[in-house]
Amino acid sequence: MPPGWEDGIDAAVDLGQAHLYVFRGTEYVRIPFATQTVDDGYPLTIRDNSAPAVGGA
């Protein structure tokens, strides 16, 4: 996890796309299941349309 995330996370989501998205505060990271490491370029700030879409019922 990125520095400063040692105290925990707020949420994690598996959208069935071979990645786990992990959220903390105003940031998120993407972790491929294959490598189990944070992708380069993350964390990103959560903004309109920047985080992965989660569909509702």
Side-chain angles (χ1 to χ4, degrees), residues 29-47:
V29 296
R30 184 177 70 185
I31 303 172
F33 291 122
T35 63
Q36 297 185 8
T37 59
V38 175
D39 276 345
D40 290 340
Y42 288 84
L44 294 175
T45 301
I46 301 168
R47 297 176 295 210

Side-chain angles (χ1 to χ4, degrees), residues 4-10 12 17 19-24 26-27 30 36 38 41 44 48-49 51 53 55-56:
W5 287 44
E6 297 85 6
D7 293 337
I9 63 168
D10 295 326
Q17 300 172 347
H19 297 92
L20 182 68
Y21 292 89
V22 182
F23 297 83
R24 179 183 166 115
T26 60
E27 297 181 315
R30 184 177 70 185
Q36 297 185 8
V38 175
L44 294 175
D48 293 338
N49 300 319

